[in-house]
Amino acid sequence: MAGKKGFILCVCQGTCPSFSKMDIFGVLSDLRREKLVDYVCLHPQLCVGDGEEFLKTLLSGGETEKLYIAACDPQMQSKMYRDAFEAVGFDKTHHLALDIRNRTTEEAGAAIKELIADNP
Amino acid sequence: MDMWRGIPREEIPWFPTIDDSKCTGCGECLSICRNGVLGFDESSRTAQVTNPYNCVVECSTCARLCPTEAISFPDQAAFSEFIKQKLATGEKP
Ligand code: SF4
Ligand code: SF4
Ligand code: SF4
C-alpha cells in the first residue's frame, strides 16, 4: 500500500502578523475539498516542545510517506523539525516545506497546490 | 499589535533579551523575524531588541535558531502562570 500524504499548516499561534492576511481555516478547507492529500491538520506552533512531540507521534507509525508543511521559511523549518524527524527515522527529504507567511488565502492555496503538484 | 486577546500588549512581558557578550552579530535572528522586533547596532556589531512589544506572545523562534544561544525569553512555567491569571481577569468579551 502506498504511503500517505499529509499536510500541516503551522501559523505561529495565529497571532503573528505574518498570517493575518490569510483565512487559516479557509486555506485548510479549500485544500480538503481538492483531496490532494490524505489528511490535513492545523498546528499552532510546531517548533516548540509539544510541536516536536506532535511530529514524532504523527510520524512514528511510518504511515506517512510525504509530509507537506506550510509555515515559515523552508530552511527554518528543516532546522526546527530535524530532531523530531531523526528521532522517528522520518526521511527529511520527504518533508516538503513551503513559506506561506504574508500571503492571502488565495495565494496560500495556490502555492500549496503547486507544491503538492511539483512533489507528488 | 496593541492588544493581545483583550489584554494591552504592553502589559505582557514577553520579548527577547539578547546577551551582548554571546551575540556574534551573525544576523540570523534579523533575517528570521519579520515583525520588526530586532535591529542591528553597527557600533557594537550586535543584534538589539528595538521594538519589544512587536514580539509575538509566546513565539521564541529566534532564540531557537540563534547559533550562540544569545537570545532568551521569560521562564516558561512562570510566564504560563502569569498569562493564565491575566486571561482570567483581563480578557474582554
Ligand atoms: S514552525 Fe515556523 S510557522 Fe510554525 S510556529 Fe514555528 S516559526 Fe511559526
Ligand atoms: S542570531 Fe544570535 S548571534 Fe546572531 S545576531 Fe542574532 S542574537 Fe546575535
Ligand atoms: S520571538 Fe518571534 S516575534 Fe519575537 S523577536 Fe523572535 S522571531 Fe520575532
Side-chain angles (χ1 to χ4, degrees), chain B residues 6 20-22 32 36 38 48-49 56 61 65-66 72 74-76 82 86 89:
Chain B
D20 287 348
S21 69
K22 286 187 183 169
I32 290 165
L38 306 163
Q48 302 289 324
V49 179
V56 175
T61 308
L65 294 177
C66 168
S72 59
D75 172 71
Q76 270 293 343
F82 168 85
K86 262 306 211 194
T89 55

Side-chain angles (χ1 to χ4, degrees), chain A residues 24-90:
Chain A
I24 290 165
F25 285 102
V27 168
L28 286 167
S29 297
D30 291 349
L31 184 62
R32 290 174 58 222
R33 210 173 295 116
E34 303 270 342
K35 298 191 172 34
L36 300 175
V37 290
D38 298 299
Y39 64 82
V40 311
C41 64
L42 171 65
H43 199 282
Q45 198 175 19
L46 277 178
C47 57
V48 294
D50 66 320
E52 278 187 90
E53 211 47 58
F54 171 78
L55 286 175
K56 285 197 260 178
T57 307
L58 178 75
L59 300 171
S60 60
E63 285 191 59
T64 297
E65 188 193 342
K66 290 257 163 73
L67 186 61
Y68 306 93
I69 304 183
C72 50
D73 172 72
Q75 270 196 330
M76 284 167 61
Q77 288 192 37
S78 51
K79 282 185 200 163
M80 293 188 290
Y81 313 149
R82 185 178 47 209
D83 293 351
F85 291 161
E86 275 175 12
V88 293
F90 181 76

Side-chain angles (χ1 to χ4, degrees), chain A residues 12-13 15-18 45 47-48 52 76 79-81 83 99 101-102, chain B residues 1 4-5 28 31-35 54 56-61 64-65:
Chain A
C12 289
Q13 306 191 60
T15 54
C16 180
S18 299
Q45 198 175 19
C47 57
V48 294
E52 278 187 90
M76 284 167 61
K79 282 185 200 163
M80 293 188 290
Y81 313 149
D83 293 351
D99 189 345
R101 291 172 300 176
N102 299 309
Chain B
M1 192 193 300
W4 181 87
R5 295 182 60 181
E28 178 85 359
S31 69
I32 290 165
C33 186
R34 301 276 176 95
N35 299 320
N54 276 11
V56 175
V57 176
E58 294 177 308
C59 179
S60 54
T61 308
R64 172 108 196 241
L65 294 177

